[in-house]
Amino acid sequence: MKKILFFSTLLGLLAMSSCNKDEKYLLGPKNTSALVTVHAILQGTHSAVDSVMVEVVGYNSIRQTDQNGCAVFDLPVGSYELKITRNGYLGIVKDINVEVANDQSDLPIISTQTVDVDMYPLSASLKGNTTINRQGDVTYLEGAKIEITSPNVTFISPITAESGAKGAYSVDALPEGLTLNIKAVYGDGGASYSASSTINAARAGEAIVASTLQLTKSNTTEGPDIVVKPETAKSPLVLTFNMPVDVKRIKDGDITVKSGGNRVGVTYAWSDNNQTLSISSADPNGWAVNGANSYEYAVSLYSVNGDELNARGTFGLVLYSGEVANIASIQYDEAAQKLSWTKLANAEAYHIYVRADGQSDYILKHTVYADPDSQELVEEVYAYSFLPYAADEIYYVKVVGYNDDSTASLADAKEVRVKY
């Protein structure tokens, strides 16, 4: 009896692995991964849906569900995004977390987990119309953009339509079984109009007639369409908005730039029908070379139609730029317990990576920032800054320089043996 039970268990494992004859691990070794079965079922039922394409986004791994609605992946522990598609069904995105239940066990148990995915046939349809309310004058609206999403499921891309004659719009392929949000937007001379509504889950083959969407002016907050940051001390920060600004409403404090929390002097000018704002430093020398995020800007304005226009962000001129090379020389003084290396002319800082003797992976332990005023050609740091105290332990250390443009190669960096 025991032999039969063992044989049937083995067949079960072989059946699972047969779904993946060309199985390749995506990231890590077997003992940190789990077999994940994506189970596609028709929404509202337990019926399997075959021929569903399941993609693990970013890892070039795609499987198709079998007649049981199953697609099996071997995934290391971590978080993943799945893209799930099939002709005639709504394309959706689903996030999953992979965990290994037996990570503390020495037994040869294969960790498994199942992810159920509801599939929504595009069997329903929708019709509706749009109107626009311009200061009490309500008329049909042609050219409104319609977007349909759901609060319950993430679509790969929203379902869209556009209103035509007499404001009419239609959607022929609407998913059944989902509560749906309908949003209509329209731009008119710089002003923005919008409306939204919710419809209950459609049944298979149902033709829904939605209530009229009456679009009204939106006093929404808009940001700049284009931001061009200064490349030199004398060049401006340029913000371009999608509608003209009411420059007569600008007051002190609406356009500010700060450095280190303190407001700095600026001058500004408008162009492109008051849609483009150029902000320059009032300092004759221009912007200071203090680093990529050394300045903070904040802009709070109004369009000529009364919409709020806000912009916030950082900018700055970097002292260190260009491709960072690997360090030419690195050594460890065991008596002084001090690590030293030749400085790089364009390194903003240095990452110190450490691996313990007998281990294979390097771990980032410490960062040393360059002093632009120092004339020394060698950087030094004591071992206690990046190592735990343990007498006569052996470690291997690499130092990698970086700046805002690039980071040197960890794989090619020189390795030094450290006894601490």
Side-chain angles (χ1 to χ4, degrees):
M1 186 66 182
K2 289 183 179 179
K3 290 182 178 179
I4 295 174
L5 178 60
F6 172 77
F7 184 67
S8 63
T9 301
L10 179 60
L11 282 177
L13 292 176
L14 289 173
M16 179 175 289
S17 64
S18 67
C19 296
N20 302 278
K21 294 179 180 178
D22 298 323
E23 183 68 66
K24 294 182 180 179
Y25 304 146
L26 298 178
L27 295 176
K30 180 80 171 180
N31 61 1
T32 62
S33 64
L35 292 178
V36 178
T37 300
V38 177
H39 186 213
I41 54 177
L42 182 65
Q43 69 85 22
T45 73
H46 294 290
S47 300
V49 181
D50 63 7
S51 303
V52 176
M53 302 304 296
V54 183
E55 176 185 356
V56 183
V57 177
Y59 294 95
N60 195 30
S61 182
I62 302 175
R63 302 283 162 77
Q64 181 173 289
T65 60
D66 59 19
Q67 62 184 359
N68 298 314
C70 296
V72 185
F73 297 83
D74 194 316
L75 298 177
V77 171
S79 299
Y80 299 90
E81 179 181 277
L82 303 181
K83 184 184 291 184
I84 301 161
T85 56
R86 188 186 192 280
N87 288 338
Y89 290 79
L90 179 70
I92 63 175
V93 173
K94 188 174 183 67
D95 295 324
I96 65 169
N97 291 314
V98 177
E99 299 176 351
V100 178
N102 66 311
D103 56 350
Q104 301 299 321
S105 173
D106 293 329
L107 298 176
I109 301 173
I110 300 176
S111 292
T112 65
Q113 63 188 75
T114 300
V115 177
D116 288 325
V117 176
D118 288 326
M119 301 297 296
Y120 301 90
L122 298 173
S123 63
S125 62
L126 172 71
K127 290 184 178 180
N129 59 41
T130 61
T131 60
I132 187 168
N133 188 336
R134 294 185 177 96
Q135 298 180 339
D137 181 16
V138 180
T139 57
Y140 286 120
L141 178 61
E142 183 177 348
K145 306 297 183 183
I146 313 298
E147 180 177 283
I148 300 175
T149 57
S150 174
N152 308 116
V153 172
T154 301
F155 296 5
I156 290 177
S157 57
I159 299 171
T160 60
E162 183 172 323
S163 63
K166 293 188 177 182
Y169 68 90
S170 64
V171 176
D172 294 328
L174 195 73
E176 63 178 70
L178 274 178
T179 298
L180 298 173
N181 294 331
I182 308 175
K183 183 178 181 181
V185 296
Y186 181 74
D188 183 21
S192 176
Y193 292 79
S194 65
S196 60
S197 66
T198 300
I199 59 175
N200 295 325
R203 296 183 294 272
E206 182 178 4
I208 298 174
V209 178
S211 58
T212 298
L213 291 168
Q214 185 177 116
L215 283 73
T216 56
K217 186 177 178 181
S218 306
N219 289 318
T220 55
T221 299
E222 299 282 349
D225 284 353
I226 304 173
V227 177
V228 179
K229 297 183 179 182
E231 294 184 355
T232 68
K234 296 296 183 67
S235 59
L237 168 70
V238 181
L239 309 176
T240 300
F241 297 90
N242 65 355
M243 59 188 75
V245 172
D246 187 350
V247 296
K248 294 180 180 179
R249 296 184 62 177
I250 299 174
K251 59 184 183 299
D252 183 49
D254 287 346
I255 302 173
T256 62
V257 176
K258 294 182 178 181
S259 178
N262 298 316
R263 188 170 169 179
V264 299
V266 297
T267 61
Y268 61 86
W270 291 96
S271 60
D272 189 25
N273 192 29
N274 292 335
Q275 288 185 231
T276 299
L277 170 63
S278 298
I279 306 173
S280 300
S281 173
D283 189 320
N285 295 318
W287 307 112
V289 182
N290 288 332
N293 300 309
S294 55
Y295 289 99
E296 299 177 3
Y297 65 89
V299 175
S300 180
L301 307 169
Y302 289 95
S303 76
V304 293
N305 296 302
D307 295 304
E308 294 181 10
L309 304 174
N310 291 326
R312 292 181 180 275
T314 62
F315 69 93
L317 302 177
V318 297
L319 178 62
Y320 307 100
S321 61
E323 185 174 353
V324 180
N326 281 312
I327 292 170
S329 176
I330 181 171
Q331 50 270 329
Y332 178 66
D333 185 339
E334 188 173 325
Q337 296 185 334
K338 183 188 297 183
L339 185 70
S340 61
W341 61 89
T342 54
K343 283 186 176 181
L344 299 171
N346 65 338
E348 177 183 349
Y350 303 89
H351 286 321
I352 299 179
Y353 291 88
V354 178
R355 70 173 177 88
D357 190 31
Q359 300 296 316
S360 58
D361 295 332
Y362 274 92
I363 299 173
L364 177 61
K365 288 294 187 180
H366 188 58
T367 298
V368 178
Y369 290 91
D371 180 0
D373 298 323
S374 173
Q375 301 299 314
E376 299 295 329
L377 300 179
V378 175
E379 189 75 63
E380 296 180 334
V381 62
Y382 285 96
Y384 65 75
S385 298
F386 57 90
L387 291 176
Y389 180 75
D392 295 330
E393 291 289 334
I394 302 298
Y395 300 92
Y396 294 90
V397 179
K398 289 186 175 184
V399 180
V400 175
Y402 71 90
N403 60 30
D404 288 313
D405 288 339
S406 72
T407 301
S409 168
L410 174 62
D412 296 335
K414 294 181 182 295
E415 181 183 75
V416 62
R417 181 178 179 275
V418 172
K419 184 178 181 181
Y420 179 65

